[in-house]
Amino acid sequence: HAKPFCILAARLVQENKNTVVTLLLAPNLLTKAEAEVCRRHAETSTVISDKPSTYKHLIRILSSFKSDLPDLFSLLDPLIQTYGPAYQNLWEASPITCAMTGRIFNAVSRPNVVILDFFAHQQMLATRAVSGTSVPIVAWVTGHIAHIIHIFGPARLGGPDVDFTSRVEAEMARTGLTAEEIGDSVYRRTEDAVVRVPGAPALYDWEFFPQTLPFNAPQWVEIVIAADAGLKECDAVFSTSTYAFDEESIDAFKSWFAEQKKEVHVIGPLLSTKKANELSDYAKAKEFLEKAQAKYGDKSVLLISFGTIFWPTAQDYIDEVIEALVEKRFPFIITHASPFAKISEDLVQKVNATGIGLIYKWVPQQYILSHPATGWFMTHGGQNSVLETLGSGVPMICWPFEADQPIAAAHMSEGLKVALELIEVRTGEHGMRPLLRNGRKAQGTRDAVGIEIREVIDTCRGPKGEEIRKNAQAIKAKFAKTWGDDGVSRNELHVFLKKHGLEMSCNPLQNREQTQN
């Protein structure tokens, strides 16, 4: 969730040089956040100042604790525990120190607005304890809106009859177990029901769990409970989605919060600019893409990424996909940033030796998506990746795992028609059950995966694939207008900021960037 945060911070400062943004992040995100903000600043430097140091005084990136752990779940407790004292410093207009780097940031005036992830309920309560209701708290919602409605919304919109927290409490009373002991059993419980959310295809409830996951997260139930409470505690909501992606779901989402007299501001997509970067991190990708473009042409490369957490538990399915791509001479790049990824050195060397593929732990996703050699993206369907991909006009092959990914995959393949969805890669009890929309169900074999992926490759290269690409390009064009003259997302942010005394400049940033170019 941090990347859109950084982009919003940079945009706010570029729009109004009197704005100061403090980003309190987990230690493992500091370097990437600094790079993202620096990149944005470098591409629009004269909006603020030509001095590289200027933006560092206006966008302060720091962590409230020290840790070298990469695991998200292990960082949740210290994030909560150290937030209160850090916010107290900000409220008192005192200097604040980054616990990781030791850098001291000078005092600035008290916060006018606090933006927190919607599951950061404890941080919301800590904010209230210091500043009461004098500072509005905005819940930061980055997930697919239809899924947020399904988990937390009212029954009339496809949400549960009983809210999640009440269901967990009932289970605790029935079993005598703690919330942690109950784990995700309540969250993953299905009743053979049909879920109907505005703007999304109807799904059986078991379709939300198409994969056996490579990890067990005992804190998951606490995160969902916190998210439920956070949506109730906040004063307003920022959604990083956009009307061009899921307008009907957004309208339903807004109607739900209007009942609570809370405003929802849709300010997405918040995307990095697509200019090529010559940093060393890009060298391998740049070289591979240029060679593939020269040999196979534009739109010939497939990028494969399942984000920083998810990875298939059926490694032979990944192996089969790789074999099919090599066989079909479909150039590809695979990134395996997840700590649960299992990529042997033997496989890396084997693929790299073919010249048709590149396997790397981390790659510059936005750079690859915007490169003319890239034609498709195989993705888990996380919201940030989806918006980045459509912002580049690239069609997708969806391999969803959990959370908002299954409903997003259905929406993109059946509704927007900007993606193909893999079915045979599904695993586990729920993954073997049929889909409501077409009756298909996975066979649970590598052979079936092999047949399907080869059919998908042929589809990508055929007339249907070209039609899907045109649909993705059309959405890219719509995305490009959201922050332009009278852009809907810019206007929604402007309304919120004006209400809280943080008015933006009169001229859209996009126009000023174009003038500089």
Side-chain angles (χ1 to χ4, degrees):
H1 299 189
K3 188 173 182 180
F5 254 139
C6 296
I7 296 169
L8 175 61
R11 187 176 288 278
L12 288 171
V13 168
Q14 288 158 354
E15 290 275 5
N16 187 335
K17 64 182 180 181
N18 295 316
T19 299
V20 177
V21 180
T22 301
L23 290 173
L24 278 174
L25 301 175
N28 63 330
L29 297 176
L30 292 181
T31 301
K32 289 183 179 179
E34 185 82 19
E36 183 63 48
V37 172
C38 186
R39 181 160 50 247
R40 178 74 184 179
H41 170 78
E43 292 162 355
T44 57
S45 59
T46 56
V47 174
I48 307 174
S49 165
D50 289 328
K51 297 179 180 179
S53 61
T54 303
Y55 83 94
K56 293 185 178 180
H57 295 291
L58 302 177
I59 303 176
R60 297 123 49 92
I61 302 172
L62 62 142
S63 181
S64 53
F65 65 99
K66 292 187 71 171
S67 175
D68 57 3
L69 296 174
D71 176 33
L72 168 66
F73 298 109
S74 66
L75 299 175
L76 293 178
D77 285 343
L79 273 171
I80 293 170
Q81 293 163 5
T82 59
Y83 171 84
Y87 182 70
Q88 183 74 45
N89 265 10
L90 296 174
W91 180 249
E92 293 174 352
S94 300
I96 188 168
T97 302
C98 176
M100 278 297 291
T101 65
R103 182 183 174 191
I104 300 174
F105 293 86
N106 293 333
V108 296
S109 58
R110 287 178 168 181
N112 297 83
V113 175
V114 173
I115 306 172
L116 291 165
D117 261 307
F118 73 107
F119 55 76
H121 181 238
Q122 291 300 316
Q123 290 94 318
M124 292 184 186
L125 295 181
T127 303
R128 297 288 196 214
V130 173
S131 52
T133 57
S134 63
V135 176
I137 296 175
V138 183
W140 182 255
V141 175
T142 60
H144 189 64
I145 292 297
H147 183 255
I148 302 296
I149 294 173
H150 165 58
I151 299 299
F152 304 108
R156 67 176 180 82
L157 295 176
D161 293 324
V162 181
D163 69 70
F164 183 78
T165 302
S166 297
R167 283 180 285 152
V168 171
E169 290 173 346
E171 186 70 5
M172 291 167 63
R174 186 183 70 82
T175 63
L177 299 174
T178 65
E180 185 173 352
E181 289 170 334
I182 289 171
D184 63 1
S185 61
V186 174
Y187 173 74
R188 297 178 66 86
R189 184 176 297 159
T190 62
E191 299 174 346
D192 296 355
V194 174
V195 177
R196 303 182 190 278
V197 177
L203 305 177
Y204 290 123
D205 55 5
W206 62 71
E207 292 185 55
F208 288 86
F209 311 103
Q211 298 286 342
T212 301
L213 298 180
F215 55 85
N216 177 34
Q219 294 163 299
W220 183 245
V221 65
E222 297 175 4
I223 293 172
V224 180
I225 289 174
D228 191 17
L231 291 174
K232 294 171 182 174
E233 180 67 36
C234 69
D235 301 302
V237 174
F238 278 170
S239 167
T240 61
S241 189
T242 177
Y243 292 96
F245 180 67
D246 51 359
E247 182 174 2
E248 190 176 350
S249 296
I250 288 171
D251 288 341
F253 189 68
K254 283 193 164 189
S255 73
W256 165 31
F257 278 89
E259 294 171 356
Q260 307 170 54
K261 302 190 184 317
K262 296 180 181 181
E263 294 180 347
V264 173
H265 303 273
V266 181
I267 60 171
L270 293 165
L271 305 175
S272 298
T273 54
K274 301 175 179 63
K275 298 179 181 179
N277 193 315
E278 301 300 329
L279 296 176
S280 59
D281 287 341
Y282 291 65
K284 283 184 178 290
K286 184 173 184 290
E287 179 184 6
F288 180 87
L289 289 166
E290 289 177 350
K291 286 183 178 179
Q293 186 179 15
K295 187 171 184 178
Y296 299 99
D298 290 348
K299 301 178 177 60
S300 59
V301 176
L302 170 68
L303 172 62
I304 303 175
S305 174
F306 303 118
T308 56
I309 296 178
F310 294 96
W311 189 261
T313 55
Q315 182 62 35
D316 58 332
Y317 287 4
I318 282 285
D319 295 342
E320 184 64 29
V321 168
I322 290 173
E323 283 190 13
L325 293 169
V326 172
E327 173 192 313
K328 292 278 191 177
R329 306 302 292 171
F330 199 134
F332 62 94
I333 298 174
I334 296 181
T335 174
H336 54 102
S338 170
F340 308 103
K342 297 177 180 178
I343 297 288
S344 68
E345 185 59 32
D346 179 63
L347 179 61
V348 172
Q349 292 179 2
K350 179 180 177 182
V351 168
N352 291 346
T354 67
I356 198 76
L358 173 68
I359 300 181
Y360 214 55
K361 187 171 181 63
W362 181 88
V363 296
Q365 180 169 296
Q366 188 63 40
Y367 171 74
I368 293 173
L369 289 171
S370 62
H371 196 284
T374 303
W376 290 82
F377 182 29
M378 183 179 291
T379 173
H380 60 311
Q383 183 79 340
N384 288 344
S385 289
V386 164
L387 295 180
E388 279 188 355
T389 307
L390 291 176
S392 298
V394 175
M396 284 163 278
I397 302 170
C398 295
W399 184 328
F401 289 80
E402 183 72 274
D404 59 348
Q405 301 156 25
I407 199 168
H411 174 56
M412 291 188 293
S413 60
E414 299 293 324
L416 299 178
K417 299 189 185 304
V418 295
L420 299 166
E421 182 178 0
L422 298 175
I423 304 302
E424 296 297 344
V425 296
R426 295 177 174 232
T427 58
E429 176 188 357
H430 296 310
M432 295 297 104
R433 302 187 71 181
L435 280 64
L436 176 62
R437 57 190 179 276
N438 55 25
R440 286 190 60 189
K441 62 179 180 178
Q443 298 178 48
T445 67
R446 176 170 176 164
D447 286 346
V449 171
I451 292 171
E452 181 180 44
I453 189 60
R454 285 168 175 81
E455 290 175 349
V456 166
I457 290 171
D458 292 342
T459 298
C460 290
R461 289 170 162 169
K464 182 177 180 180
E466 188 56 35
E467 187 64 31
I468 292 172
R469 184 181 309 284
K470 288 179 181 178
N471 294 337
Q473 289 284 336
I475 290 184
K476 173 187 176 180
K478 292 179 180 179
F479 278 16
K481 296 178 181 178
T482 57
W483 283 93
D485 289 313
D486 202 33
V488 60
S489 295
R490 185 178 186 278
N491 286 343
E492 291 217 9
L493 182 61
H494 179 84
V495 168
F496 175 85
L497 295 176
K498 184 176 181 180
K499 179 178 179 180
H500 297 287
L502 297 168
E503 191 156 4
M504 295 164 71
S505 60
C506 297
N507 299 315
L509 175 62
Q510 176 177 311
N511 288 351
R512 282 185 281 151
E513 290 174 350
Q514 291 172 346
T515 300
Q516 291 167 38
N517 294 336

